[in-house]
Amino acid sequence: MRALEHRRPQPWPIRVAHWLNVPLLVIMAASGLQILAAYPKLGSQGRPYGWYPFQGAPPPDWTRLGDWLAGARHWHFAFAWFLTLNGVAYLLYLAFSGEWRRRLFLPRRDTRNALDTLAWYVRLRKHAPEQGLYNGLQRLAYTGSLALGILSVLSGLALYKPVQLQVLAGLLGGYDAARALHLLVLAAFTLFTVGHLALVLLHPRTLGEMVTGGRKPDA
Amino acid sequence: MPRLLRPSGRLLTRRTALLGAAALTTSACDSSRPRTGFLGGMERFNARFQSALFDADQLAPELPPSEDTPAGHFPRYFISDAMPLAPEGWALKVGGLVQRPGLLSLEELQRLPRTEYRIRHHCVEGWSAVASWHGVRLRDVAEHVGADPRAGYVEFRSFDSDYFSSWDRPSAFHAQTILAYGMNGQPLSPGHGAPLRLYSGVKLGYKMVKYLTEVSFLPEPTGGYWEDRGYEWYAGV
């Protein structure tokens, strides 16, 4: 296996997993919103949670997939498998290729860099801190999105099987808490995607790299 | 919906014929009738996954009285325009692959061993609610009438506009699957399916048929009111 520092910025397994995520996350979010529309109250007995801001306001039609609750559930539970498989394949690739060292946030290594990068973004620093493929802040964001993916699958399983997987549901605080968490994960994914797209617009080179893989550093 | 297009004997009704005609007009990814094509295949895969995950010894957690849904807040659903009321002289018809088919009155059912529990109800719409339920385990009724081991499925029918649902045997024979004649220490109210309803810790709400009128032990699965309209057949929790 080629040493990490001589690899393309985006090896093909990373690119495949990344682009598969685009339709998968759209299908999961849209069918999830159709499921939510069936009953936009999250509390037990269908009563509202005080802090849920969209009470009585179902998601707009254009955000939904599946026509009605039964159809949306079929989409959701069909494509949840592919999202999970894609995530597991990605994690295995990270683990066995060593790419995790370039991409994951390691607190001891990256905290300082993340703070310095943040200071540079808000103009408290004149120069960008040293960085390899990614800076500390980017690593934090990508690691966070990976954690969100894991959390979405786990909270989804707890909602799907609250009795057979009751240990998991209990760890997440119970059925209703898992439901709230599942929706919070969607909100966090949406925020991540907005920020992600904004940064791609500011640095269009990264889009090319995610398509072609980019140039090898020593080429 | 291949299950319904493969009717066994008496199951070839006007209902299944209409459904068959409807199934022929569906396309591959039709969300309103998702039983065919790719989504249908994935549903059958998910049903197998769920039944593999099913553990007959796994019980829904029993909850303390403090978790009870306040009186009047437990949602009440039925299909008919008006609340269905039991016909005069109501009795449960038990049939199919059983040694002693016939009618069981409420008193006869109440003489069988009584089971009571307080568990969470999971509705497909996303809400949940808690109440205590008492009644007789379906497996005790099966023993009482001598149900045949070859009956791999159980069909439950309702006097509420022909509502019905069919279950896999392991879920139907689960220790928390009961024919409930009472709720929260009281006889079942008309809003919750009086005089007898199905209740269970292992299925979504729409599988738990209210206003029971007939239980049949069958060698083949049939569909269900919501299942025939596109909802998942297995629908375990």
Side-chain angles (χ1 to χ4, degrees):
Chain A
M1 190 168 285
R2 219 175 288 120
L4 216 47
E5 57 271 23
H6 299 304
R7 276 194 219 162
R8 293 165 180 275
Q10 307 297 355
W12 69 264
I14 300 265
R15 283 178 276 150
V16 170
H18 174 273
W19 290 115
L20 280 177
N21 267 335
V22 176
L24 287 173
L25 285 173
V26 168
I27 289 172
M28 292 309 286
S31 58
L33 288 172
Q34 180 70 59
I35 291 170
L36 179 70
Y39 215 93
K41 294 176 181 161
L42 299 167
S44 58
Q45 308 127 40
R47 287 186 300 186
Y49 270 134
W51 47 264
Y52 179 58
F54 310 112
Q55 215 64 249
D61 277 341
W62 63 267
T63 64
R64 303 195 224 152
L65 171 70
D67 297 332
W68 66 317
L69 178 57
R73 285 172 62 91
H74 280 82
W75 281 97
H76 209 70
F77 302 144
F79 284 90
W81 283 109
F82 300 107
L83 187 73
T84 306
L85 284 176
N86 194 32
V88 169
Y90 180 78
L91 282 175
L92 288 175
Y93 176 75
L94 277 194
F96 289 109
S97 66
E99 282 286 336
W100 59 272
R101 274 172 283 157
R102 294 206 295 190
R103 291 163 198 276
L104 291 191
F105 182 82
L106 305 176
R108 282 170 67 106
R109 181 191 67 188
D110 297 323
T111 304
R112 175 86 227 173
N113 183 283
L115 289 172
D116 287 350
T117 306
L118 185 65
W120 179 59
Y121 281 168
V122 299
R123 322 257 155 156
L124 287 173
R125 253 179 83 113
K126 282 205 178 66
H127 305 288
E130 290 275 323
Q131 66 171 44
L133 178 62
Y134 291 124
N135 64 48
L137 215 49
Q138 284 170 307
R139 286 192 176 124
L140 186 61
Y142 298 149
T143 307
S145 74
L146 198 56
L148 282 179
I150 294 168
L151 209 53
S152 71
V153 171
L154 292 181
S155 58
L157 278 171
L159 293 176
Y160 190 47
K161 300 271 111 191
V163 173
Q164 303 302 333
L165 301 177
Q166 57 188 265
V167 174
L168 175 63
L171 284 174
L172 296 173
Y175 181 73
D176 290 321
R179 200 170 183 83
L181 185 65
H182 202 60
L183 194 64
L184 280 175
V185 167
L186 172 63
F189 256 133
T190 309
L191 284 178
F192 172 83
T193 304
V194 169
H196 187 63
L197 291 178
L199 287 172
V200 170
L201 286 177
L202 289 173
H203 305 279
R205 176 183 58 83
T206 56
L207 178 64
E209 284 178 358
M210 196 46 91
V211 175
T212 65
R215 287 152 56 109
K216 289 179 195 165
D218 53 358
Chain B
M1 207 176 285
R3 263 195 302 275
L4 281 166
L5 295 174
R6 180 163 34 83
S8 60
R10 68 176 202 83
L11 297 175
L12 183 57
T13 61
R14 190 169 57 109
R15 187 187 72 243
T16 42
L18 282 172
L19 280 162
L24 292 175
T25 64
T26 56
S27 58
C29 253
D30 182 352
S31 305
S32 61
R33 286 207 166 269
R35 281 297 162 69
T36 52
F38 172 72
L39 291 180
M42 286 306 291
E43 196 226 332
R44 288 186 284 281
F45 173 76
N46 276 324
R48 280 201 294 279
F49 166 72
Q50 291 186 69
S51 61
L53 198 63
F54 178 82
D55 175 358
D57 296 325
Q58 177 80 288
L59 300 178
E62 296 254 3
L63 301 169
S66 57
E67 294 269 335
D68 266 346
T69 295
H73 280 82
F74 201 117
R76 307 184 305 177
Y77 290 177
F78 40 81
I79 303 298
S80 306
D81 294 334
M83 190 182 295
L85 294 174
E88 200 69 29
W90 175 95
L92 181 71
K93 187 176 172 194
V94 184
L97 294 174
V98 298
Q99 287 162 13
R100 294 174 290 279
L103 295 169
L104 287 173
S105 70
L106 199 55
E107 292 71 29
E108 285 172 293
L109 287 163
Q110 283 167 341
R111 279 200 292 274
L112 294 173
R114 176 185 154 122
T115 298
E116 179 158 10
Y117 53 63
R118 179 181 279 100
I119 57 177
R120 185 172 293 279
H121 179 103
H122 297 98
C123 179
V124 69
E125 291 175 339
W127 54 264
S128 72
V130 178
S132 78
W133 302 89
H134 59 272
V136 51
R137 286 190 176 119
L138 184 77
R139 56 156 85 145
D140 291 335
V141 176
E143 198 179 324
H144 182 71
V145 297
D148 195 298
R150 286 171 302 168
Y153 301 89
V154 188
E155 185 191 73
F156 302 91
R157 303 201 73 93
S158 169
F159 57 80
D160 174 14
S161 296
D162 287 331
Y163 193 92
F164 79 111
S165 187
S166 62
W167 287 42
D168 56 296
R169 182 187 178 97
S171 302
F173 281 52
H174 185 263
Q176 287 175 318
T177 300
I178 65 173
L179 303 185
Y181 43 75
M183 176 190 186
N184 291 331
Q186 304 289 323
L188 209 54
S189 69
H192 289 289
L196 190 70
R197 69 168 296 178
L198 182 60
Y199 207 84
S200 179
V202 296
K203 292 287 189 199
L204 288 175
Y206 65 83
K207 299 295 289 186
M208 304 185 214
V209 177
K210 293 173 169 179
Y211 311 103
L212 274 179
T213 184
E214 188 176 348
V215 174
S216 305
F217 295 85
L218 302 175
E220 295 279 335
T222 58
Y225 180 90
W226 284 118
E227 294 87 330
D228 294 353
R229 285 160 175 77
Y231 278 85
E232 302 111 277
W233 180 81
Y234 192 86
V237 295

